[in-house]
Amino acid sequence: MATMRKLEEVLHSGEGKIRLRGVSRSFVTAQGPLQALEGIDLDVHAGEFICIVGPSGCGKSTLLNLVAGLDRCTAGEIWTDGHRVEGPSSNRLLIFQELGLFPWLTVRENVEFGLRRRGVLRQECVERARRVLRLVHLGGFENSYLHQLSGGMKQRVALARSLVMEPEVLLMDEPFAALDAQTRDLLHQELERLWVETGQTIVFVTHNVREAVRLGDRVVVMTFRPGRIKCQFEITLPRPRTLEDPALTLVARSVLDQLKEEINKAVKTEFRDETTA
Amino acid sequence: MRRLRRQLLFYSLLVAVWWLIADLEIWTPYLFPSPRGVLEALRWGFADKTFLVGLGISMKRIALGYGLSVALGVVLGCLIAASEFLKDTLGGTLLSLQSLPSLCWLPLAVLWFGLSEKAILFVVVMGSLLSVTINTEMGLRHVPKIYLMAGRNLGARGLGLIVHVLLPASLPHLVAGLKQGWAFAWRSLISGEMIFVSLGLGHLLMMGRDLNDVNQVVAVMVLIVAIGYVVDRLIFERFESRLRQKWGLSAAP
Ligand SMILES: Nc1ncnc2c1ncn2[C@@H]1O[C@H](COP(=O)(O)OP(=O)(O)OP(=O)(O)O)[C@@H](O)[C@H]1O
Ligand SMILES: [Mg+2]
């Protein structure tokens, strides 16, 4: 009865861009079942920039895979725009932590890939790819192959490959982890600008609490194993923000306090795993 | 450059030693070929067109046989990779058949098709089909999952996913399979041609024996090696190195 009512609610409210209800995902591993996510309830509003932080292995990537429709929940439901997520959609793009760029294609061909599958004409693909590549400062590398690029450049290619599709929802899994501070700063600004321009909904996963507070309208802290939502912070600092802002540091500290508890739990668990193994 | 110099030196030395031994006539010239005799045999062979005809016939056969086994092998590999059932059944069978030298198919081929073109074709196909199939299957199976996820994420589905993600991602394996398949096909062809008046290179080899002409035997052998080598180097090696360069892979796996 209870689930029925919940379903009705979801169906009739139009505002939630992404709604997660009781989302759980467990894996069968050699050591037995592993509950990666348990009972996640989360609403992301249209146009919201939401950041998720949590210790390594708490299920952040798993969560994004589920929202992207590349994986299935073992329990619970995910809805976007009032429709149940049944599979991937190029309107809801995930930028993978491992990037997943195609080594057999040049940088430009990688960026064009999604457009071509969508049936966009060749000439338009070329132009759009060129524009986006300039945006991520890779204008001169259109015809390079991936192995000729640095880690940070590859991350920007992955970003470009998704941005070019102009999706309504962008799911980003630690996209700036391998960048130096200056480039990261630059891309924060670019991303923020793009987000304001396009009105995209962004779910952004990161290890870096300051980055989360710098970018997000809201920061969600996750617990460690099973992954649940521990607490959420509304970030009301005015934009544009800078990492150096003392007010930002203050907010980041209170987020970090929450996160630290979970990280300690994670470290303890991992340590125990290792000593018993 | 240094490698080329080394190779040149080595081969000239080899021929010189061969020449010397042949000139010493420790064994009778009927049994021991000399460089001069082999060169002469090659010249005569090409002058009276027997070698050219033999070459043409063999090339036609290999094109047909190898083409067939590539087409069949790729399709079969795809099917086995797609189905757990086929992998457990047919996949295992193919692996065990790989230990069979291709010449072992000959008696069966002769029983089924007689001493005919079809028998040779059968041996060629059986000789190279397995390499192509097994490598195709392995390539597809080893495609990292992230490529598939990325492809689906960006809107590739069904056939598009196969053509634009799966096949290119398994290309390094695939080319290795094609290359190995070629080597097997070429060897199987020559062995197959040796059994009857097939007019191909294998037949010329046997003809040399029938005529007691050791120089012709060696001349044809040289020809067979040369073609195998040239195709391997000029086509497969080139393609493979271009591929490795593009993918940023280092030396051969
Ligand atoms: N396919 C899978 N099979 C088995 N276990 C898995 C699988 N995918 C993830 N897990 C497990 O689920 C848990 C969450 O993994 P996930 O990759 O989502 O973590 P994460 O929060 O993204 O970590 P990180 O910050 O290190 O990227 C981990 O304990 C991991 O071992
Ligand atoms: Mg992760």
Side-chain angles (χ1 to χ4, degrees), chain A residues 6 18-26 35-42 59 62-67 71-79 84-85 222 226-229:
Chain A
K6 218 176 234 172
I18 309 169
R19 317 200 108 194
L20 288 85
R21 287 292 176 272
V23 169
S24 303
R25 178 70 166 99
S26 53
Q35 191 77 32
L37 294 173
E38 190 175 78
I40 303 257
D41 291 314
L42 184 69
T62 306
L63 188 68
L64 288 192
N65 273 331
L66 290 172
V67 176
D71 190 13
R72 299 209 153 236
C73 324
T74 34
E77 289 150 5
I78 301 175
W79 303 72
R84 185 107 180 240
V85 170
M222 285 180 66
R228 292 202 191 93
I229 290 181

Side-chain angles (χ1 to χ4, degrees), chain A residues 18 42 44 48-54 60 63-64 94-95 159 169-177 179 184 187-188 191-192 201-220 222:
Chain A
I18 309 169
L42 184 69
V44 185
E48 192 177 14
F49 198 135
I50 186 167
C51 292
I52 300 178
V53 295
K60 303 182 295 294
L63 188 68
L64 288 192
L94 170 57
I95 301 176
L159 185 64
V169 176
L170 205 51
L171 310 163
M172 306 174 79
D173 200 349
E174 306 192 25
F176 302 145
L179 298 180
R184 185 191 295 221
L187 280 171
H188 284 164
L191 185 64
E192 196 171 37
T201 309
I202 298 182
V203 183
F204 188 104
V205 162
T206 172
H207 271 124
N208 186 329
V209 171
R210 290 172 66 88
E211 179 173 67
V213 176
R214 155 80 179 80
L215 291 170
D217 292 328
R218 184 154 45 122
V219 176
V220 175
M222 285 180 66

Side-chain angles (χ1 to χ4, degrees), chain B residues 49-70:
Chain B
K49 302 226 164 59
T50 45
F51 280 14
L52 274 180
V53 171
L55 212 68
I57 289 177
S58 287
M59 290 320 266
K60 221 184 302 175
R61 282 189 186 125
I62 193 86
L64 194 61
Y66 181 59
L68 250 166
S69 80
V70 167

